[in-house]
Amino acid sequence: MSNKALKICYDFPFFLDDELEEIFQAHEKVSFHKGDFILKEGKTANEYYILEKGLARSFVNDFDGNDVTINFFVENEIIIEVSSLFQRIPTQENIVCITDCECWKFDFETFQELFHKIPNLREWGRAWMSQQLFIGKQRSVEIFTLSATRRYLNLLEQKPHVVQFAPLKQIASFLGITDTSLSRIRKELVSHPKKI
């Protein structure tokens, strides 16, 4: 089995070819339609997915019942709710497809078997988790230290598919601003691109 998304996600220098092959074989190809939920609040995650094609997002409902975007998942990224999957607890998050999505599913039981069987998978997992902790920390700091315009430009640079396909309201909630503010920022960028 040869697949670009799997190769990108499991790009780790110590994997042997036969280990990668066994890991790749453990994934199952699945498809979702736009609007399908990959995970719903109150359920316990039993798998994670590698997104081959499409765009998805995770969101929570705040204390007023507003839908707040936590993350966007783009091609070649892992769609996962870590605490639910590994702590075996119901999630507070929803993960939904913004577009039709094609994914590679890796169920928890099979992952656990291979995790104990293949030491390099454990090392890959530690490296991936460290990277995610860094990304999460950086994002929480940037909410306070960067302007809304700069945060929008960073999103545009890092995940252009989000700006192309996600509704304005979802992008605004991810950036921690109102959709009115985001509309103003976008207008300013179009009319005064040199100022930024």
Side-chain angles (χ1 to χ4, degrees), residues 22 27 42 63 120 123 129 138 151 155 158 161 186 193:
E22 188 170 5
H27 290 70
F63 52 86
N120 282 329
E123 293 309 311
M129 193 66 82
Q138 190 175 32
R151 295 197 307 272
L155 180 64
Q158 293 158 10
H161 275 78
R186 287 167 73 148

Side-chain angles (χ1 to χ4, degrees), residues 24-64:
F24 288 3
Q25 291 288 349
H27 290 70
E28 177 193 349
K29 188 75 177 279
V30 292
S31 297
F32 296 97
H33 295 294
K34 177 181 177 178
D36 284 353
F37 278 80
I38 293 173
L39 183 64
K40 281 191 174 180
E41 181 182 359
K43 301 286 184 190
T44 300
N46 287 312
E47 58 274 311
Y48 68 78
Y49 300 85
I50 291 173
L51 184 57
E52 182 176 12
K53 191 174 180 189
L55 179 66
R57 75 174 180 119
S58 63
F59 70 93
V60 294
N61 295 300
D62 71 10
F63 52 86
D64 288 326

Side-chain angles (χ1 to χ4, degrees), residues 151-169:
R151 295 197 307 272
Y152 175 72
L153 288 170
N154 285 351
L155 180 64
L156 191 60
E157 184 182 303
Q158 293 158 10
K159 297 187 176 187
H161 275 78
V162 171
V163 179
Q164 193 177 351
F165 293 106
L168 192 74
K169 192 171 182 133

